[in-house]
Each structure stands twice: as C-alpha cells, then as structure tokens.
Amino acid sequence: MLPLETAREFVLDRCAARKLERVAVADALGLVTASEIVCSEDIPQFANTAMDGFAVRSADVADAPCELRVVETIAAGHAPQVTVGPGEASRIMTGATIPPGADAVVMVERTSMAKPAGTAAGGADNPETVRVEVGVPPGNHVRHAGDDLQAGAHVFGVGTELTAGHLGVLCSLGMTEVEVFGRPRVGVLSTGDELVDDGSPLQPGQIRDSNRRTLLALAHRADVDCVDLGLVRDDPDAIEAAILTGVDTCDAIVTSGGVSMGDFDYVKAVLNRIGDMRWMQVAIKPAKPLAFGTVGDVPVFGLPGNPVSSMVSFELFARPGLRSMMGHPDPIRATVGATAAEDLPRRVDGKTHFMRVLATPKNGGIEVRSAGGQGSHMLWAMANANALAVVPDSDGVRAGESVDVLLLD
Ligand code: AMP
Ligand code: MG
C-alpha cells in the first residue's frame, strides 16, 4: 500500500495550473491571482473625514468650547470650494474631502448650532455659527491619503485566492479585470449497471446513483466549473465514449466506480488502453483504491464506487488536484487539533482511517464524536459529519485524547 502523501504527490505533480485568463472582477470570486497586483494610486486618494461633523483648524478649538463661523457644507463626492480660515469651520459629511486650511474634524455629536434651527442662516452677511464643545488634536478623524494603500505598494502576490474582500480591493484600485488561473471545467461521470438515476422503481439488484450528484456538488464547492457527463453502463465502448467526450470538453475528469478488482470494472480496462494511468492501493480507509493518470493532458481521477469512499477520495485527491490546477499554492486542506469526546475505536490494519465525525466548539477548542456508522456505504453518517478525524494506524483514539481533524466545508 502507498502512503497517502506519496499517492497525493503523484497526483499533484500532474495537476499544475496551466490556463491563464483575464476575467472580469465580477466573475473572479474564488479564483487565484496569476500575476502580482501593484497599487497604481493612493487609496484613499485624498484626505477625507471619518465622521460627519465640522472641519476645523485644531489651533482654533484648543480652548473649546468656542464658536466658529460655518463657511461651507461639503458632501461626499464634492470638492470643497472654500479655504477654512482662522475662526472658521466647514460642515463636512463622512468621506468628503478635508478642505484646505482645516487639519482636524470635530464629530457632529460634540457640536451644536449656535443659531437655533429655523433662524435665517447662511449668506455672507449672516453666516451660521457652530459651537464646538471639545478641543481636538491635528488629524482628528482625518483619513489621510494612502492610509489604506500607497501608490506602488505590493497589494496581492501571485497565488492569492480572491475572496469578497479581495474583490473589493481590486474595485478600489479601479480594476475591472484581473489575471487569474482559469477555473478548470471538471466532468463527472458514474459507472455501473446497477445504477438508476431517474427515480424509477428499483428492479432487483439496482441501487440509485448517489455519487454523481455528490461529486458534482463537491466539485462545485471546490469552485471549479462542473459538467455532468452522465451515468454510463458497465460497457467498455460506452465508458470509452464518455471519457473521450470528457477529454474533449473538460480540463479534468472524475469518475466513480469500476476501478477495483471486479470482473466488470471496465473503467480500469478502458483507462489503461487510452490513458497513462497509475493504479494505487493507498494506505487509507475508506478509499483505498485510486486510479489516477492522464488521457492526453487531461487528469482523470478514478475514484472508488462506494459512496463514502468516493467522497473521501475526492477530498484527499481530487480536491487538492483541482485546487492545484486553479493555482492554489497550498491545495491540501490543513488539519486542526481536536479532542475526542468519546472513544473512536478502530483496528490495526496498516492504514490511516478517516472517520466521519461531528466537530463542535468546546472550551475554546474543538471536540469530535462519531457521526454514525463508519462503513464505506454508509452515506448518511458522512452527510451528517462536518469533519474527518485522521486516526493513525492503532487501536483508535480514547475519549479525552487529541486527534487531528479535517474540517469539511
Ligand atoms: P465498484 O467500484 O464499481 O465496484 O462499486 C463499489 C460499490 O459502490 C458497489 O456497491 C456499487 O454499487 C457502489 N456504487 C458505485 N457507483 C455508485 C454510485 N454512482 N452511486 C452509489 N453507489 C455506487
Ligand atoms: Mg461498478
């Protein structure tokens, strides 16, 4: 049996990012930058106020309370027209430019209008007057130009996953497009004569195809574009046709079933003929069998058919492979430390077990308990699990002991 790390290294070596694309910032969520982003201009570009209030000369309010003549009202988005002179202030709204002459802002809550509302105010001969209650230091509530980013600054390096906040920064920089590693198109197909996917009554020996929907959903969660390549019978010609369609139209293919030792495991025979495949027995449970290789230059993940195995195999191999194709520098999900809230028993068998568990916060850490049946056909427990406990080859973990977990999406 191959150690997990060896098998995964083999996969990742063949899943390099290749497609560079310029995409609209609007479409870039979850994609990974392919070039460095450098700040073209100061953000913010101009000194502005963090508060609604009055722009003042700080020296004027040193002996507050005091009264100042209001010479202008400055709204966000409008340039100030008047210089604030000694004994003067401009009413200013959050985000508006600090007017020349002023060096600080007094928030509106620390002021009152010296003339009661309703009294004629404004105009050169009858200016409004504001009473300032507190003194403020220079720079008070002023957001200086370049506070957030300065022109020339390194903003995001190559390999940055674009999250909501990143997209906002790109918009702040005035970018409408960004260079990224393209989203791979991933085709998913199921194989098996026993499978039914149309809701019709089951004939003897039939089961329903659950893997395809699940694997498409996992691929979707991995931020790739998904293509449903359908349900294919255990027939070599049909399997070959489906895989060749996938190779023509997709950047990667995920299959489930037909990669074990059974008489009708034709996926294996077909991929051996048309691809450059490696058949692995990985020292993990579930998901020991893995077929991985390329047809042309398209990576093919031949995942095992058992529903839980196919999901765990996707998590351990396909997700990192697809993320690597998307340019993620760290495509493998990191484990976190947790405490077993109950015994997680297993037998010594030379494999690392990925047990389906429920992780919950406890005393600032995480505790885990079994999510239910651990058979590789027991999809319900997998559906209820939000984590996989990584239990090394041993007789298991006792309640209170620590255990590494993979927190699933
Ligand atoms: P196989 O690898 O084809 O021998 O399949 C292993 C087990 O997984 C068998 O019990 C299959 O019936 C089951 N299986 C294979 N494909 C699917 C699928 N798409 N949905 C649900 N179960 C499946
Ligand atoms: Mg099968």
Side-chain angles (χ1 to χ4, degrees):
M1 283 188 295
L2 277 180
L4 169 63
E5 292 70 24
T6 309
R8 192 152 49 194
E9 218 166 276
F10 181 85
V11 170
L12 292 178
D13 281 349
R14 286 155 187 79
C15 290
R18 35 193 119 164
K19 280 200 301 186
L20 288 194
E21 282 176 6
R22 285 195 76 76
V23 301
V25 169
D27 299 326
L29 183 64
L31 295 177
V32 176
T33 53
S35 55
E36 187 176 10
I37 290 162
V38 177
C39 188
S40 49
E41 56 199 20
D42 283 352
I43 300 177
Q45 259 190 23
F46 51 89
N48 65 92
T49 173
M51 290 284 170
D52 296 322
F54 289 85
V56 300
R57 302 161 72 97
S58 54
D60 283 358
V61 297
D63 299 324
C66 61
E67 292 192 359
L68 302 172
R69 276 189 313 287
V70 180
V71 293
E72 188 182 16
T73 295
I74 311 165
H78 298 269
Q81 305 296 323
V82 182
T83 297
V84 175
E88 295 177 345
S90 284
R91 183 186 284 111
I92 191 166
M93 310 303 151
T94 304
T97 307
I98 303 292
D103 65 353
V105 171
V106 182
M107 66 197 291
V108 70
E109 292 86 341
R110 299 281 178 271
T111 67
S112 54
M113 294 316 289
K115 284 183 191 301
T119 325
D125 48 348
N126 187 19
E128 268 185 311
T129 304
V130 63
R131 180 180 160 84
V132 174
E133 309 292 354
V134 293
V136 294
N140 194 60
H141 295 320
V142 175
R143 304 191 286 211
H144 296 284
D147 249 4
D148 191 10
L149 281 170
Q150 292 183 356
H154 156 108
V155 184
F156 304 130
V158 174
T160 303
E161 178 179 350
L162 294 170
T163 65
H166 292 96
L167 297 190
V169 171
L170 299 186
C171 290
S172 306
L173 292 170
M175 295 173 63
T176 54
E177 292 188 335
V178 57
E179 190 171 28
V180 294
F181 296 105
R183 218 184 274 281
R185 261 169 78 84
V186 180
V188 177
L189 65 95
S190 292
T191 66
D193 275 351
E194 72 278 34
L195 301 175
V196 173
D197 69 352
D198 60 1
S200 59
L202 295 179
Q203 301 304 313
Q206 289 186 326
I207 62 165
R208 307 204 186 270
D209 176 6
S210 57
N211 290 354
R212 191 153 42 105
R213 185 52 48 210
T214 300
L215 293 171
L216 282 164
L218 289 174
H220 180 75
R221 271 289 155 81
D223 275 328
V224 300
D225 286 335
C226 306
V227 181
D228 184 352
L229 294 175
L231 165 56
V232 186
R233 299 285 146 217
D234 284 323
D235 168 70
D237 292 340
I239 293 169
E240 178 169 342
I243 291 175
L244 290 179
T245 300
V247 169
D248 280 350
T249 55
C250 299
D251 302 303
I253 298 175
V254 176
T255 70
S256 72
V259 298
S260 320
M261 304 298 188
D263 285 356
F264 305 103
D265 286 342
Y266 293 124
V267 176
K268 190 166 181 171
V270 168
L271 285 174
N272 262 342
R273 185 149 41 76
I274 65 175
D276 176 13
M277 300 297 295
R278 173 122 175 230
W279 304 89
M280 299 179 244
Q281 300 291 316
V282 190
I284 56 174
K285 185 177 178 180
K288 184 171 77 156
L290 171 71
F292 178 78
T294 48
V295 177
D297 63 350
V298 174
V300 178
F301 299 86
L303 309 186
N306 276 307
V308 177
S309 305
S310 72
M311 287 186 78
V312 170
S313 194
F314 187 96
E315 164 65 25
L316 298 179
F317 300 106
R319 181 177 182 276
L322 298 176
R323 282 169 59 81
S324 172
M325 292 177 75
M326 289 178 77
H328 285 280
D330 301 311
I332 300 168
R333 199 193 299 278
T335 56
V336 298
T339 305
E342 61 185 21
D343 290 353
L344 299 173
R346 52 157 291 179
R347 281 203 292 270
V348 174
D349 59 5
K351 302 177 199 163
T352 301
H353 287 202
F354 289 85
M355 299 179 78
R356 279 68 78 197
V357 293
L358 260 173
T360 47
K362 178 80 184 290
N363 300 336
I366 297 171
E367 69 170 21
V368 294
R369 57 188 76 240
S370 170
Q374 297 291 319
S376 62
H377 58 298
M378 294 173 155
L379 190 52
W380 182 80
M382 179 74 192
N384 286 332
N386 60 2
L388 296 172
V390 187
V391 183
D393 195 21
S394 64
D395 59 359
V397 176
R398 304 281 153 267
E401 289 179 354
S402 52
V403 60
D404 282 346
V405 296
L406 290 165
L407 296 177
L408 304 173
D409 294 333

